[in-house]
Amino acid sequence: MNKNIFVLPVVVQTLLVAHPVVAADAEIKQKPIISNIPNITDIDLPSTNAELLTPQSVSNQISQETQPEQPTTEPSSTDDADITIEAIGEEDTLPKSTPTYVIEQEEIKKQGANSVADILKRMPGFAINDAGHGADIHTGTYYRGASINQSVFLINGRPINTNINIYHGGTDLNSIPVEAIDRVELYSGAASALYGSSAFGGVVNIITKEGYGQPKVSSSIEFGSLSQNNQQFSYGGATGSLKYNFSFERYFTDNRYRVPVGAANRDAEGFFFNADTATSTYFGNVAVDLDAKNSLSFDITKLSSRRGLIYFGFPLQRDRLDHDGLNAGLSWKTRLGNGENSTLTTTLGYNQDYFSTYGPTVFQGKEYYRTGILDTQQLSARVDHEWKFTPNNQLRWGLDLKNTDLYGDTLSTSPNRIATNETENRSIFTTALFAVNTFKFNENFLVDLGLRQSFDGQFGNYLNPSVGLRYAVAPTIAVRGSWAGGQRNPGLDQLYVYDTVHGWEPNPDLQPETGSSWTAGIDINFSENLTGQFTYFGSSLDNRLGVIAGKWQNIGLVDTNGLEAALQLKFASNWSTFVNYTYTDAKIQTGTEKGLQLGLIPYSVLQTGIGYQNSGWQANLYVTYNSGARRSVFNRTGESPTDFAPSFLNLDFSGRIPITANLGLRFYLENLLGEQYERVNRIYSPGFTFRVGLSSDL
């Protein structure tokens, strides 16, 4: 796609099956409520009416939808009164020049998501190659051509990325129990100034549930193909000013199935080998309203994961990975002054990722043992002030502090690796000042201006600006656009720690990845029942990090251009359908692979589906088309790194059958066509699989 193609800026207010919502104007605050989750066709968000594209109309609609002002303890009567959700209190005040995409808890259940990767895979812009049964910890997740570590992942506004890149230590999208998730939000553009200069792709914020009203127990149990079983449990409620929610999830699959000749990690019997996965996750959240102006909240997440490693490689991979994680945060929110126009939030956070890999090394016909440990601990603090100092001018500014400690230990008994045995202790301190100022010139036009000034103990000081605009051309059409500069620094592991799994050497001379990203688009309400979104996106990233000849290097410049298109149609009572399409052209501009598409990123991903829901019954059919990605790493002898995996088409079906008012039977039929397509780099799907289980709310 030509880089100078221009499609007008975008307003997104309802995004297909994920039901994204544009954030309200800064002065609108979401009040805590208990509400029934609507049917897939009963959703009446601001974006469903064309005139609501103007800021004032959106404000009016949202203020009506957040009634009653006080939380209730009994759900209102709807077709699905057995399913309820606890809404989180106030939403973040975010820049409005790029949309906030949101996927809610009930849609997560409909899709049968077992991880955040499963949740994200149907959203426009995402290419997630290896989500599903026994997917590796680094699932090949790309958003608008940016890798998982070039985006920022948050839990309740706190980072869960530790910028670990080796030992398969990328951000673990299995690290939070799905039962604990209220919604997942996706930001881009000027919002990157708020959360980090490394957000070339975007910012994914995982919002967890809080309890309201009478205590309630939610639970589910599933069993399925490949010895899969999954148990989830959640208990939440409120007592006076105290709110609480506790969740637990256990997941296991042996992930053993026959694969074709030529597949990665195919054992002598023809089965996919060493891909079993077992995880246990625990979550707790406690919040208390101290008085009318002050509230305090604490949440903690604990992960324990044990799995085999699959890294697309040849010959047979037998390494194992143990991953233990802990994320905790304490947040104090206070309203300043006498009004509702100034809110100060102070957050303290702790994040630990412990990765341990171990397995055999064969050298000169003999088998030796090797292991590698990465233990990263981060302490963070954040002061965030939202201040609306005039009706048309709002400032959000603050301070981020973060200290990162890395312990790395590599050990091998193989003669050719003994020289790499080492112990590393590294530490780095970073500080950042951030500000985003929103100027609302009139009810139809606003501009966001953002700055993030970083002070890094390893790479010095750098400034990253951003700008965005939004203009409602007419009651049915709005345009918007954004531009943001960014910098992502190499991880301490890439700089100093040998990768015992792949045999990659560190490089202390690595330079930061630098560049910018931009969007432009248009959102149209063609009618009350048909909405369309069209977004052009692009980025230019220099000094991109990669591995050349077994060593981390800055591989050069990558330019990305792409298009997102989304349509949603509500064509009859209780029915709706959607189409999502993403085109991504991530072109390598320098080096030996100049002119090639960046590896593992498909050019085209299409998601479409149709859903029906009534009186507790649900049926959803999802269709996925993937054009196939370039096999750029771990090629077999005789293969070319220019080869593409074949395209594939996949159908999934999910449903719910009500048994009682509080009990339902859920089932998921995946890959209905039964095709063993190549998901990525010689890793094949298992063909047709199923899951069936019970879910209850008491």
Side-chain angles (χ1 to χ4, degrees), residues 328-634:
L330 178 66
S331 182
W332 172 37
K333 179 175 287 189
T334 183
R335 296 188 184 280
L336 304 177
N338 298 321
E340 302 289 321
N341 296 328
S342 181
T343 302
L344 182 68
T345 303
T346 304
T347 303
L348 300 176
Y350 172 78
N351 191 29
Q352 181 184 25
D353 272 316
Y354 175 88
F355 296 98
S356 175
T357 61
Y358 47 93
T361 295
V362 177
F363 178 67
Q364 295 181 347
K366 294 183 179 181
E367 191 170 281
Y368 299 91
Y369 178 81
R370 57 184 164 82
T371 184
I373 293 174
L374 284 177
D375 186 1
T376 306
Q377 300 185 56
Q378 286 184 346
L379 289 173
S380 61
R382 180 180 175 93
V383 178
D384 192 333
H385 185 205
E386 300 175 18
W387 183 22
K388 183 180 179 183
F389 49 91
T390 72
N392 295 320
N393 199 340
Q394 178 161 303
L395 174 66
R396 184 171 176 183
W397 68 284
L399 170 69
D400 277 327
L401 303 171
K402 183 173 65 176
N403 187 79
T404 303
D405 292 314
L406 173 70
Y407 170 79
D409 186 29
T410 63
L411 174 66
S412 177
T413 61
S414 177
N416 67 328
R417 291 198 176 199
I418 289 177
T420 64
N421 293 344
E422 63 172 340
T423 298
E424 290 282 351
N425 284 284
R426 299 284 177 171
S427 182
I428 189 170
F429 181 75
T430 57
T431 307
L433 297 170
F434 61 86
V436 175
N437 203 342
T438 298
F439 300 92
K440 188 177 178 182
F441 293 96
N442 55 49
E443 294 302 324
N444 298 323
F445 181 57
L446 63 82
V447 173
D448 294 314
L449 298 176
L451 290 173
R452 188 176 183 89
Q453 174 67 55
S454 299
F455 307 90
D456 188 278
Q458 183 92 24
F459 293 100
N461 307 333
Y462 46 94
L463 178 68
N464 298 116
S466 62
V467 62
L469 61 87
R470 176 187 187 275
Y471 180 61
V473 178
T476 59
I477 302 175
V479 295
R480 61 172 75 215
S482 68
W483 177 92
Q487 175 169 320
R488 176 185 169 249
N489 300 327
L492 290 173
D493 56 327
Q494 293 171 306
L495 292 165
Y496 302 114
V497 183
Y498 179 75
D499 185 337
T500 63
V501 176
H502 309 96
W504 295 340
E505 297 179 8
N507 184 353
D509 297 323
L510 292 174
Q511 297 300 309
E513 298 174 327
T514 57
S516 59
S517 59
W518 53 88
T519 65
I522 184 170
D523 187 81
I524 307 174
N525 278 11
F526 297 99
S527 69
E528 183 177 354
N529 296 324
L530 177 62
T531 60
Q533 170 219 342
F534 308 92
T535 307
Y536 164 76
F537 62 87
S539 65
S540 183
L541 182 60
D542 201 7
N543 288 327
R544 183 147 185 161
L545 294 171
V547 177
I548 300 176
K551 186 175 183 177
W552 284 102
Q553 304 279 0
N554 292 106
I555 62 176
L557 177 67
V558 176
D559 286 339
T560 300
N561 293 273
L563 178 68
E564 297 169 0
L567 291 170
Q568 184 177 18
L569 172 65
K570 179 181 177 180
F571 59 89
S573 177
N574 301 325
W575 290 87
S576 69
T577 186
F578 74 93
V579 178
N580 281 356
Y581 174 73
T582 303
Y583 175 84
T584 306
D585 181 13
K587 193 78 69 180
I588 300 172
Q589 301 291 352
T590 57
T592 58
E593 295 188 338
K594 181 179 179 179
L596 297 179
Q597 172 82 340
L598 200 64
L600 311 183
I601 300 177
Y603 280 111
S604 295
V605 176
L606 173 71
Q607 300 273 0
T608 185
I610 185 170
Y612 174 81
Q613 183 168 326
N614 187 29
S615 300
W617 295 79
Q618 294 177 9
N620 300 278
L621 178 66
Y622 301 102
V623 182
T624 300
Y625 168 77
N626 187 303
S627 65
R630 185 168 70 91
R631 302 187 189 115
S632 63
V633 294
F634 303 114

Side-chain angles (χ1 to χ4, degrees), residues 88 216 308 314 317 341 350 434 450 654:
I88 296 296
K216 186 184 73 172
F314 304 94
Q317 164 73 324
N341 296 328
Y350 172 78
F434 61 86
S654 69

Side-chain angles (χ1 to χ4, degrees), residues 13-32:
Q13 299 174 337
T14 300
L15 182 59
L16 310 181
V17 73
H19 307 309
V21 183
V22 172
D25 283 351
E27 64 270 24
I28 304 302
K29 298 296 184 181
Q30 175 78 33
K31 295 183 172 58

Side-chain angles (χ1 to χ4, degrees), residues 258-264 266-267 270 314 636 639 676 682 684:
R258 289 194 175 274
V259 289
V261 175
R266 182 179 188 267
D267 66 15
F314 304 94
R636 296 178 302 179
E639 287 185 342
Q676 274 206 289
R682 303 294 187 185
Y684 290 81

